[in-house]
Amino acid sequence: GPKELWKTELGTGASSVAVSRGRLYAMGTVGGQDIVYCLAAETGKEIWRFTYVCALSTRQFEGGPAATPTVDGERVYTLSHEGQLFCLDALDGTRIWSLHVIHDLGGSRPFWGYAGSPLVAEDKVIVSIGGSGSSSAALDKTTGKLVWKSGDDKAGYSSPVLFDFQGKPAVAFFKGEALVAQALSDGSELWRHPWE
């Protein structure tokens, strides 16, 4: 197999890694805190870390974060299984803005916790959060201010995906009981395909 260049411990979790501009971003839980790591991709050397309180919460695996960090230029977006959403400076890990998708946006945590990564599209960050009237939400990616929220579906466990629908940007969400497409501009529903 390939030669191992480096390895490191990141704590407990099921999220993957994001790599951008020679840096690797990852998450894990250690001692009741989630840690967002920024490592040098070539060496594994830690550049910065950002921590916040979040219970391990074992589910059908060891627990910890399940969503992967999303990198957009100079910013990194993370979502904990409990619903803490952070926008961090990709260079030094300082918090730019944060909110709680349940307390601040009316989301409803799915049974196994949030697992879908935030999607950055145009000037928005999109999250699938469940809840009546707030199943999907779009926030201004620079300020965290709410742009729109819509839908009544339970949240699913996959990340939203940007696609083109009839010449306009749309977002596909695997919700709790349907695949749902919504317009990126205002969250209006374009179509749905029920599933069990």
Side-chain angles (χ1 to χ4, degrees), residues 65-142:
T68 298
T70 300
V71 183
D72 177 58
E74 303 298 322
R75 296 178 178 85
V76 180
Y77 300 87
T78 65
L79 179 64
S80 78
H81 73 87
E82 290 185 342
Q84 297 115 308
L85 176 65
F86 291 95
C87 172
L88 306 174
D89 188 304
L91 297 178
D92 60 16
T94 56
R95 177 170 45 191
I96 298 172
W97 57 262
S98 63
L99 56 81
H100 199 292
V101 300
I102 297 172
H103 305 145
D104 299 322
L105 300 176
S108 178
R109 183 181 183 268
F111 188 76
W112 302 114
Y114 291 107
S117 300
L119 167 70
V120 177
E122 296 179 356
D123 58 350
K124 302 172 184 70
V125 57
I126 312 295
V127 284
S128 180
I129 60 174
S132 178
S134 59
S135 178
S136 305
L139 309 166
D140 182 292
K141 71 177 186 179
T142 59

Side-chain angles (χ1 to χ4, degrees), residues 117-121 126 128 158-164 169-174 179-182 184 191:
S117 300
L119 167 70
V120 177
I126 312 295
S128 180
S158 63
S159 302
V161 175
L162 184 69
F163 73 103
D164 180 85
V171 182
F173 299 88
F174 245 130
L179 173 63
V180 180
Q182 294 176 265
L184 176 64
W191 52 258

Side-chain angles (χ1 to χ4, degrees), residues 148-151 169-171 173 180-191:
W148 57 256
K149 61 180 181 175
S150 66
V171 182
F173 299 88
V180 180
Q182 294 176 265
L184 176 64
S185 60
D186 61 6
S188 57
E189 186 172 313
L190 303 171
W191 52 258

Side-chain angles (χ1 to χ4, degrees), residues 29-81:
T29 299
V30 178
Q33 291 189 319
D34 274 6
I35 304 174
V36 182
Y37 297 92
C38 174
L39 310 176
E42 289 189 2
T43 65
K45 181 180 178 182
E46 185 175 310
I47 298 171
W48 57 257
R49 68 170 58 190
F50 176 81
T51 39
Y52 58 93
V53 175
C54 190
L56 183 66
S57 182
T58 57
R59 279 92 87 195
Q60 283 190 319
F61 61 98
E62 291 82 3
T68 298
T70 300
V71 183
D72 177 58
E74 303 298 322
R75 296 178 178 85
V76 180
Y77 300 87
T78 65
L79 179 64
S80 78
H81 73 87

